[in-house]
Amino acid sequence: MGFPERRLRRLRSTPALRRLVAETRLSVDDLVAPLFVREGVDEPVPIRSMPGHQQHTVASLVLEAKRLSALGVPALVLFGVPASKDPLGRGASDPQGIAQVALRELRSSIGDEMVLVADLCLDEYTDHGHCGIVRPDGTVDNDATLERYAEIALAQAEAGAHVVAPSGMMDGQVAAIRSALDGAGLASVPILAYAAKFASALYGPFREAVDVTIAGGGDRRAYQEDPANGREAQAEIDLDVAEGADMIMVKPAITNLDVIARARARLEVPIAAYQVSGEYAMVKAAAAQGWVEGAAVAIEQLVSIKRAGADFILTYFAGELAEALGG
Ligand code: PBG
């Protein structure tokens, strides 16, 4: 005492003062809502491990999109759950496939009110559950998969997707999709690249949401990244930017804040983070037990993801949070 001290508690004494000096602000503009649409159902089907979420019918999907839009949520990311699956995942690129049907319906009913992001992958559509074309020996064929991704991109963009978001972690996927879109007169459709996507145990509930079981108890470690590798994550991001990604994504979010921060310090492209199904389910499960305050934990996590450097966040809390933020 007796000399000027920097006393940081001075700026924490009232809620208004804390609000004034907050460095990071969470707004409804930061949120992207992941939504699931299932082919061949008359009623929405609840997803057990993701309370509050369902596999929508096309009609209930449109209603949910309208609700989110009215709350001010600027974007959604769509996942399709087909009625039948096959080795090539034909439904993913079929103009009559569930995601394309839903995109056309969304585009005609809400137009440009929300950004329609189409998750671009094969796993929801393949009977073996892998994100690519599987060779007889069980490995995923990178370049054969790229041809399928190019077809899916065209189908999604033609159906009305504003943005395509390749999530399969094949090498060269962004370049393949960019050149397919450009070649088809769709040069104005941006790519949100799942650039640093880790092979994570936190995708468990999502697999229920899209009815995916990986054949033979397999996993995605031969194409998604090893959580041990942070430098490699930056290399993945750099490659995607070089191949023409307009925006890049890091996923999962909370376990990879260092990856987000490092990318933010180096790059100027918009950076997204995906707070994935398992991150959502853990908060919901603990809150249901009364062990944590769910809404507070969700906000703390989302603020931290933004503080790390994410420009926007794909989160299953989007609807709830938009309501809480008074949209
Ligand atoms: C692949 C894809 C997955 C997720 C988004 N896109 C699953 C996977 O890679 O196994 C996971 C999203 C989540 O867990 O919320 N199409």
Side-chain angles (χ1 to χ4, degrees):
M1 304 298 154
F3 51 87
E5 281 179 281
R6 184 147 190 229
R7 303 197 65 142
L8 292 173
R9 284 190 56 191
R10 277 182 200 126
L11 296 180
R12 296 177 194 153
S13 60
T14 71
L17 199 45
R18 293 196 290 273
R19 198 147 52 88
L20 187 69
V21 301
E23 296 174 29
T24 308
R25 294 169 203 278
L26 195 60
S27 126
V28 72
D29 293 333
D30 302 322
L31 308 174
V32 180
L35 297 176
F36 302 95
V37 62
R38 179 167 170 176
E39 188 174 28
V41 289
D42 303 326
E43 294 288 329
V45 181
I47 302 164
R48 214 178 31 90
S49 54
M50 298 174 67
H53 285 273
Q54 39 253 297
Q55 297 173 326
H56 283 286
T57 65
V58 173
S60 74
L61 174 77
V62 170
L63 286 177
E64 178 63 358
K66 286 183 173 164
R67 185 184 79 90
L68 292 166
S69 175
L71 287 167
V73 177
L76 62 82
V77 56
L78 184 68
F79 297 91
V81 188
S84 69
K85 308 190 187 220
D86 59 67
L88 300 177
R90 290 180 206 282
S93 54
D94 184 344
Q96 296 313 317
I98 183 61
Q100 282 68 254
V101 169
L103 285 165
R104 277 194 298 273
E105 200 60 36
L106 284 169
R107 196 67 191 262
S108 72
S109 51
I110 61 169
D112 295 335
E113 236 174 76
M114 283 183 98
V115 180
L116 306 179
V117 181
D119 182 87
L120 195 169
C121 202
L122 277 170
D123 61 320
E124 298 89 352
Y125 299 89
T126 53
D127 53 7
H128 45 69
H130 276 294
C131 296
I133 301 304
V134 175
R135 298 191 188 93
D137 69 0
T139 59
V140 172
D141 183 334
N142 194 87
D143 295 3
T145 301
L146 296 185
E147 290 175 28
R148 292 289 295 125
Y149 286 179
E151 293 165 4
I152 301 169
L154 297 187
Q156 291 176 335
E158 277 159 10
H162 291 101
V163 176
V164 296
S167 64
M169 290 297 283
M170 295 300 128
D171 285 326
Q173 63 185 15
V174 172
I177 290 165
R178 185 72 271 154
S179 78
L181 289 170
D182 292 355
L186 295 162
S188 62
V189 175
I191 298 174
L192 166 59
Y194 287 70
K197 177 173 176 180
F198 291 87
S200 172
L202 290 164
Y203 306 149
F206 176 91
R207 307 253 164 97
E208 182 199 337
V210 294
D211 290 337
V212 167
T213 311
I214 305 177
D219 58 50
R220 308 204 191 294
R221 288 170 207 266
Y223 39 103
Q224 297 179 349
E225 255 202 278
D226 185 339
N229 296 352
R231 291 192 302 270
E232 187 192 343
Q234 301 301 315
E236 282 282 4
I237 291 167
D238 287 343
L239 270 175
D240 281 6
V241 170
E243 289 177 28
D246 300 279
M247 303 176 275
I248 60 105
M249 194 198 301
V250 175
K251 175 187 174 188
I254 287 290
T255 44
N256 299 297
L257 296 180
D258 60 322
V259 175
I260 298 171
R262 211 149 134 195
R264 176 74 297 154
R266 299 188 307 112
L267 300 170
E268 306 304 333
V269 291
I271 297 177
Y274 199 146
Q275 184 191 43
V276 301
S277 59
E279 299 180 89
Y280 174 80
M282 288 194 295
V283 175
K284 284 288 178 189
Q289 299 283 339
W291 293 343
V292 299
E293 204 190 308
V297 174
I299 288 172
E300 184 176 326
Q301 294 196 350
L302 292 165
V303 166
S304 303
I305 294 164
K306 269 202 87 179
R307 192 188 72 214
D311 296 296
F312 59 93
I313 308 168
L314 290 75
T315 172
Y316 300 96
F317 287 109
E320 262 177 74
L321 200 68
E323 282 171 17
L325 294 170

